[in-house]
Amino acid sequence: MIAQLFQAFFFVNVANIPELVRTGKLDSLLVLPIDSQFAVSTKQFSLDSIVNAGLGGVVVCVALSRLNVVPDLTSILLYLVALGFGIAVHYSIMLALAAVSFWIVRAQGLVYGYFNFLNIARYPDAIFPWLFRLIFGWIIPVVIIANIPARLLIKSLGQPWWLMLHLVTGLEYCFPPVTRLLEICPQPLFQR
Amino acid sequence: MRRYIEIYSIMLRNSLIRELSFKANFLLWMVVEILWFCGQIVFFSIIFANVDRIGDWTKWRSCCLSARTK
């Protein structure tokens, strides 16, 4: 769900940033009378991915019914919040990588490389060694973005508030640039 | 704020029109993604046909995780 929703709303745009830089088309976006990050990040959508995200939702429901787990309202809310955080983490990492194109011009390798790297997030964190978990759980919090929400739904796998704290910490201290879009309604983004 | 919501909805509508101008391609991409996802489920099924659990992750817990990531 996270990857598909990210793909639906942001991936096409962020992956296109190096090309905008290379061709000089970014200039035409920068002069628009709207926030530049908003203009660059929301120009296109990949709507077929939304349907596939729905499929992911169906599989989650099937898996929960097989596990005989009935999540309460708090778990569902935390799950949805964690879903948003997961997308925000992806967005922030990928935007940071795309921004490298200002120095090296063609940075598609970085962006698509990261997108493939996301595959590690769909495996249980238990399979990774502790150093790997430390790096990709705290410094580049890729592994936690799927593991924590899954643990939130399946309560026996952890304490929800501690898991959320881990997720929030991972997002906040690693990727301050993203918080600009995360603070989405107020000041910097929408004031202009 | 309202202006940005309007701009966002216009861009969303434009994307939908652009995607639907090639309907077959739009549908095929969905099918491709669904098949890829089925591949993931099969992958976990094969693993958990041989082991009961990985750490504290059982088959359906792992499927839940995989669907969440997808």
Side-chain angles (χ1 to χ4, degrees):
Chain A
M1 288 170 78
I2 292 181
Q4 290 296 335
L5 288 173
F6 173 70
Q7 218 167 315
F9 293 102
F10 296 111
F11 177 71
V12 188
N13 303 294
V14 178
N16 196 37
I17 291 174
E19 199 56 20
L20 292 174
V21 172
R22 190 183 70 80
T23 56
K25 288 178 184 167
L26 184 67
D27 294 350
S28 62
L29 289 176
L30 293 178
V31 295
L32 291 176
I34 54 172
D35 184 86
S36 304
Q37 191 180 344
F38 178 83
V40 164
S41 307
T42 58
K43 201 168 171 234
Q44 292 177 52
F45 299 85
S46 173
L47 294 168
D48 54 317
S49 301
I50 295 175
V51 178
N52 295 317
L55 178 71
V58 170
V59 174
V60 169
C61 293
V62 171
L64 288 176
S65 72
R66 291 295 183 110
L67 291 165
N68 293 319
V69 172
V70 182
D72 57 20
L73 189 63
T74 315
S75 298
I76 293 170
L77 285 176
L78 284 176
Y79 178 82
L80 293 175
V81 171
L83 191 93
F85 278 8
I87 295 169
V89 168
H90 281 331
Y91 172 81
S92 54
I93 296 176
M94 213 170 262
L95 188 68
L97 292 174
V100 175
S101 63
F102 287 107
W103 287 276
I104 64 171
V105 185
R106 284 189 77 101
Q108 279 93 337
L110 283 173
V111 173
Y112 285 96
Y114 172 72
F115 195 69
N116 288 326
F117 183 67
L118 287 184
N119 287 334
I120 65 162
R122 66 169 184 260
Y123 299 120
D125 51 7
I127 68 170
F128 301 116
W130 70 269
L131 184 62
F132 193 94
R133 258 184 288 177
L134 180 74
I135 294 171
F136 296 105
W138 288 98
I139 301 167
I140 307 169
V142 175
V143 171
I144 60 168
I145 55 181
N147 275 268
I148 286 183
R151 283 173 183 274
L152 285 171
L153 276 184
I154 309 161
K155 272 188 183 165
S156 59
L157 291 182
Q159 296 295 321
W161 299 109
W162 165 245
L163 293 170
M164 281 306 286
L165 182 67
H166 186 173
L167 197 58
V168 173
T169 311
L171 179 65
E172 281 293 327
Y173 90 94
C174 293
F175 302 104
V178 182
T179 52
R180 185 164 180 273
L181 261 198
L182 274 183
E183 291 157 4
I184 201 147
C185 303
Q187 298 83 31
L189 185 60
F190 290 112
Q191 256 185 354
R192 281 192 222 168
Chain B
M1 172 81 181
R2 190 185 303 157
R3 185 165 142 257
Y4 279 89
I5 293 171
E6 279 171 22
I7 293 169
Y8 196 76
S9 61
I10 290 167
M11 287 172 172
L12 194 63
R13 202 174 60 221
N14 281 346
S15 284
L16 185 63
I17 291 167
R18 198 168 43 232
E19 297 262 18
L20 289 179
S21 52
F22 302 98
K23 286 191 191 72
N25 182 57
F26 183 69
L27 294 172
L28 275 174
W29 266 115
M30 279 190 226
V31 173
V32 167
E33 294 284 351
I34 289 167
L35 287 176
W36 189 88
F37 188 55
C38 291
Q40 286 301 304
I41 302 291
V42 170
F43 173 71
F44 277 113
S45 300
I46 291 168
I47 289 178
F48 286 101
N50 295 288
V51 291
D52 289 334
R53 52 180 60 228
I54 301 170
D56 48 3
W57 295 89
T58 59
K59 178 185 171 183
W60 285 105
R61 284 175 176 178
S62 299
C63 282
C64 185
L65 169 70
S66 185
R68 175 76 174 80
T69 318
K70 168 83 179 145

